[in-house]
């Protein structure tokens, strides 16, 4: 019987959580800006917050199914970029790196 070496997914977990928290803060900031005259920014803020919640769910799902969590990180990255234009670039980089590491690190 061969022993499979298990890979620690702590780095991906931390990157996913940090990126999601930053995404939630920037989405909340966009919703806050909507009160000062910006018209369609609140919808984009909600999209960024929902994508960040998907990133948090993917972080906790990482221990069970790595492929599904990696795809969840990449989908969250796409929606975070769409949801919050230039404000959410750092959050998107964290989520993208977590998704790529999850999918390609064995």
């Amino acid at each position: 019987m061969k022993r499979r070496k298990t890979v620690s997914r702590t780095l991906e977990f931390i990157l996913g959580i940090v990126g999601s928290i930053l995404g939630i803060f920037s989405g909340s900031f966009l919703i806050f800006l909507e009160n000062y005259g910006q018209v369609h920014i609140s919808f984009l803020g909600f999209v960024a917050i929902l994508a960040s919640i998907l990133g948090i769910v993917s972080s906790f799902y990482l221990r069970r199914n790595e492929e599904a969590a990696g795809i969840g990180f990449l989908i969250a990255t796409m929606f975070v970029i769409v949801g919050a234009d230039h404000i959410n670039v750092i959050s998107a980089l964290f989520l993208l790196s977590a998704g790529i590491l999850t999918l390609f690190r064995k």
Side-chain angles (χ1 to χ4, degrees), residues 34-87:
E34 193 264 333
N35 293 330
Y36 292 106
Q38 303 289 340
V39 178
H40 296 291
I41 289 183
S42 66
F43 175 72
L44 297 177
F46 284 123
V47 170
I49 289 174
L50 289 177
S52 297
I53 291 172
L54 176 64
I56 290 175
V57 169
S58 295
S59 293
F60 287 110
Y61 197 67
L62 186 63
R63 307 268 189 238
R64 294 184 193 148
N65 192 351
E66 294 91 8
E67 288 85 15
I71 292 170
F73 282 134
L74 294 179
I75 291 172
T77 301
M78 289 187 289
F79 280 112
V80 162
I81 289 173
V82 168
D85 223 11
H86 300 301
I87 295 174

Side-chain angles (χ1 to χ4, degrees), residues 9-56:
R9 299 288 181 179
T10 307
L11 178 64
E12 291 93 338
F13 181 78
I14 291 172
L15 286 172
I17 292 292
V18 169
S20 298
I21 290 173
L22 288 174
I24 288 173
F25 282 139
S26 63
S28 300
F29 181 69
L30 287 175
I31 292 172
F32 176 74
L33 283 179
E34 193 264 333
N35 293 330
Y36 292 106
Q38 303 289 340
V39 178
H40 296 291
I41 289 183
S42 66
F43 175 72
L44 297 177
F46 284 123
V47 170
I49 289 174
L50 289 177
S52 297
I53 291 172
L54 176 64
I56 290 175

